[in-house]
Amino acid sequence: MTTSTTQRPTASDVTVTTGRGLRRAIRGELSRLFGTRMPLIAIILAALSGLVPTGALVLGGPGTAQPPMPDIDSAAGVSTALGLAGVSLFVPALIGTIAVTSEYRHRTIGATFLAVPRRGQVLLAKLLCYAGFGLTYGLIVVVAAAIGLYGAAALRGMPIGMPIAVVVTLLLRIAVTAAIYMIIGVAIGALARHQLAAVGIVLGYFYFLEYLLMIIPGVNAIYPFLPGGAAAALTQFTFITDSVGATGTLSAPGLLPPVAAAAVLIGYAAVASCVAVLLPLRRDLR
């Protein structure tokens, strides 16, 4: 008499299978991303977001702005000029949100989950792909901002009041912040699923709610711990908070040190990513 035994999968087998599924999900996500016009549109937006505000401010002279800003022959002036590129960081968050909600809107998410049945792998693949895409977006922004800064300064014959190494560090912070914002956008899209609602959440929060909280006495003490406050500290763009304090009616909310601000932003991205991966596992596709 012969007996048949079913060999149970080992931990290494499960790891290999999981790794293959994740790689397949990443390949599928990259195919969907580069099969659309979104990368081209994002590149154009990134270049404009970096070049136009920084170049226009430096060329026109920060001292002519209202209220006047320090000129680029000082470190504060350089930080302000480059920080303008970070004002549009809601754009990568919006891109990440639209990328995910578009699959629900066009009813293609079902086919995506059928191709890779483990939803967690699909959503993890989206987060990984768009983290890389967000970093690429941020690098394009900062390269364009650097061109705007040094090009406009050369036209004016104005020296740059910040060492090149410090400028590079600041630009890299902006690029990393863009990647984190895109991860947060993907997470919001995965959770909200409805495109108009998700876009409304992103725009309403980053364009309205954070600024509202910043000007409410007492409440603005939490601003440094919000994504916008952490991003302002990380990118050293303090013009908006300084303007609030310059009114004389409100105290400017203090910002965190850059290292603490980076930890806060990474924390937001980590929590949003975990929720975005785990919660949809228990929800239907409707």
Side-chain angles (χ1 to χ4, degrees), residues 89-136:
L89 284 176
F90 72 93
V91 175
L94 198 60
I95 291 173
T97 300
I98 292 174
V100 177
T101 54
S102 292
E103 286 209 67
Y104 287 97
R105 180 184 178 188
H106 297 294
R107 308 287 184 181
T108 60
I109 191 68
T112 300
F113 284 146
L114 286 174
V116 183
R118 294 186 179 181
R119 294 187 185 184
Q121 290 182 349
V122 172
L123 295 171
L124 180 58
K126 289 181 183 295
L127 289 167
L128 291 174
C129 288
Y130 282 93
F133 187 37
L135 183 60
T136 302

Side-chain angles (χ1 to χ4, degrees), residues 20 22-23 26 29 109 111-112 133 145 150 205 209 228:
R20 288 174 179 172
L22 182 58
R23 288 194 294 270
I26 291 175
E29 196 59 42
I109 191 68
T112 300
F133 187 37
Y150 285 96
Y205 178 78
L209 183 58

Side-chain angles (χ1 to χ4, degrees), residues 67-197:
M69 302 179 184
D71 216 329
I72 57 170
D73 56 353
S74 67
V78 176
S79 294
T80 300
L82 293 178
L84 283 177
V87 173
S88 61
L89 284 176
F90 72 93
V91 175
L94 198 60
I95 291 173
T97 300
I98 292 174
V100 177
T101 54
S102 292
E103 286 209 67
Y104 287 97
R105 180 184 178 188
H106 297 294
R107 308 287 184 181
T108 60
I109 191 68
T112 300
F113 284 146
L114 286 174
V116 183
R118 294 186 179 181
R119 294 187 185 184
Q121 290 182 349
V122 172
L123 295 171
L124 180 58
K126 289 181 183 295
L127 289 167
L128 291 174
C129 288
Y130 282 93
F133 187 37
L135 183 60
T136 302
Y137 178 97
L139 289 173
I140 294 172
V141 168
V142 299
V143 168
I147 293 173
L149 172 68
Y150 285 96
L155 290 174
R156 289 182 59 196
M158 177 74 68
I160 302 295
M162 182 181 285
I164 183 65
V166 180
V167 172
V168 171
T169 300
L170 183 56
L171 292 174
L172 289 177
R173 288 179 185 175
I174 296 174
V176 171
T177 305
I180 295 174
Y181 265 53
M182 191 169 285
I183 292 173
I184 294 174
V186 170
I188 292 173
L191 294 173
R193 300 196 295 183
H194 189 279
Q195 190 166 77
L196 288 179

